[in-house]
């Protein structure tokens, strides 16, 4: 079962997204191994590549708040279909989560439309364990 508090946080923070160019609002909320919840939304920029995804924002907030290990994340996109994390965000999640990370995609009213593990979305991934002794 997807954590309802995370669903609520992702739906809420999506409403704060700054997406004047794509008009595609995304929210993400994650829970750490310590039980803390951090959220983020996409923040676009007139210089398009400088935009930040919701998942990246949530991870930045987590690190700034002292968190290091994600155990669950909920992504809330626009429209009825599942918005899965982009390739870059999958790799960013890999830095702070294991292959079993539960990734739930919810629609804008908070209904779960897809659940995947990180390993399913990013198989045979490259991670910190490849570099750190
Ligand atoms: N976006 C996210 O925030 N997360 C995703 O997983 C997919 C895409 C954002 C980036 C951009 O601001 C908008 O959605 C359209 O691509």
């Amino acid at each position: 079962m997807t954590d309802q508090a995370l669903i609520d946080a992702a739906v809420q923070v999506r409403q704060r997204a700054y997406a004047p160019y794509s008009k595609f609002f995304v929210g993400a909320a994650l829970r750490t191994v310590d039980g803390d919840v951090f959220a983020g939304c996409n923040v676009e920029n007139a210089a398009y590549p400088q935009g930040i995804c919701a998942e990246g924002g949530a991870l930045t907030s987590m690190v700034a708040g002292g968190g290091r290990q994600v155990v669950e994340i909920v992504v809330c996109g626009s429209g009825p279909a599942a918005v899965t994390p982009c390739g870059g965000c999958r790799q960013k999640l890999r830095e702070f989560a294991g292959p079993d990370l539960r990734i739930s995609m919810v629609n804008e009213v908070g209904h779960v439309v897809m659940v995947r593990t990180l390993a399913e979305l990013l198989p045979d991934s490259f991670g910190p364990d490849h570099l750190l002794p």
Side-chain angles (χ1 to χ4, degrees):
M1 267 267 285
T2 303
D3 185 320
Q4 189 61 44
L6 279 189
I7 294 175
D8 294 345
V11 169
Q12 286 286 318
V13 74
R14 175 183 171 277
Q15 291 165 23
R16 296 201 169 143
Y18 176 74
Y21 307 109
S22 72
K23 304 202 170 24
F24 193 81
F25 295 74
V26 185
L30 62 82
R31 185 165 42 83
T32 68
V33 70
D34 303 315
D36 297 318
V37 172
F38 296 95
C41 55
N42 55 332
V43 180
E44 297 185 345
N45 193 281
Y48 289 4
Q50 300 305 323
I52 298 166
C53 284
E55 298 90 326
L59 284 170
T60 298
S61 176
M62 178 193 79
V63 172
R68 284 291 183 277
Q69 199 182 340
V70 187
V71 294
E72 183 171 0
I73 184 166
V74 173
V75 181
C76 177
S78 298
V83 172
T84 53
C86 75
C89 285
R90 295 176 195 201
Q91 185 64 37
K92 286 177 183 164
L93 286 167
R94 175 66 181 85
E95 190 70 18
F96 300 106
D100 296 333
L101 171 69
R102 179 188 178 91
I103 304 173
S104 298
M105 278 58 71
V106 303
N107 64 17
E108 48 191 82
V109 293
H111 293 146
V112 177
V113 284
M114 185 185 287
V115 180
R116 295 287 185 266
T117 64
L118 182 59
E120 287 174 319
L121 295 185
L122 192 69
D124 302 321
S125 62
F126 181 82
D129 39 315
H130 288 96
L131 294 178
L132 302 175

